[in-house]
Amino acid sequence: MKKIVLVLAVIIGILCINKTEKVIIPKESIRLRVIANSDCSKDQNLKKKIVKNLSTKFAETNNLKNIQETRNYINKKLPEFTEIVDKTIKENNSDKNFKINYGKNYFPRKEYKNVIYEEGEYESVVITIGDGNGKNFWCVLFPPLCMLDEDSNIEYSSLVKEIIDKYF
């Protein structure tokens, strides 16, 4: 029995390897995007520090009940977001300017871990550091889908993994 399950799991796994899933983020959502100046390590590290320093403010959106509460929270906290970004840039001896835009912003198509996120204009908070030509951090503030710890190991469950774990 175990051999049959293992063979079946391997076959299902092979069939699913190249499958790209299309995920639809709800229409009523608010995204967050922090764009680094460039891909050089100094600029990427600055972006990570900004995300980290903002994380407690954005984590507060997890307790909000609806999109209107989230909009109100963001509008109220924009000056604090600006202060945190400015302070982080100065503490890291950077001369980069930045801008924060809350409204409709363009997001390019993104594929991450075989999941496709469609391009388009989305309600969002976008923080652009310097020229904004680097890799970016992004997540969804409402509904709260942010994994603000970029270095965390995310484990995606699958039917194949569950079968293997159950029987082996």
Side-chain angles (χ1 to χ4, degrees), residues 2 9-10 21 46 63 90 110 129 142 147:
K2 287 184 180 182
V10 170
E21 187 179 342
L46 179 60
N63 301 320
K90 288 176 180 170
K110 181 174 181 75
I129 307 161
F142 183 87
M147 299 291 289

Side-chain angles (χ1 to χ4, degrees), residues 81-95:
F81 302 162
T82 300
E83 287 176 26
I84 290 168
V85 174
D86 188 52
K87 182 178 177 187
T88 305
I89 287 173
K90 288 176 180 170
E91 286 175 347
N92 286 275
N93 300 316
S94 177
D95 61 352

Side-chain angles (χ1 to χ4, degrees), residues 32-37 42-58 81-92 94 96-98 100 127-130 137 148 150:
L32 167 66
R33 187 173 183 210
V34 180
I35 310 168
N37 179 62
K42 182 178 180 183
D43 287 344
Q44 286 297 312
N45 286 334
L46 179 60
K47 173 199 71 179
K48 289 177 182 178
K49 288 176 183 177
I50 288 171
V51 169
K52 181 180 178 188
N53 290 344
L54 285 169
S55 65
T56 56
K57 293 295 175 197
F58 289 123
F81 302 162
T82 300
E83 287 176 26
I84 290 168
V85 174
D86 188 52
K87 182 178 177 187
T88 305
I89 287 173
K90 288 176 180 170
E91 286 175 347
N92 286 275
S94 177
K96 301 292 182 240
N97 59 346
F98 70 95
I100 298 178
I127 301 169
T128 306
I129 307 161
F137 168 87
L148 288 171
E150 279 189 20

Side-chain angles (χ1 to χ4, degrees), residues 122-133:
Y122 297 98
E123 182 176 357
S124 54
V125 175
V126 176
I127 301 169
T128 306
I129 307 161
D131 295 330
N133 292 323

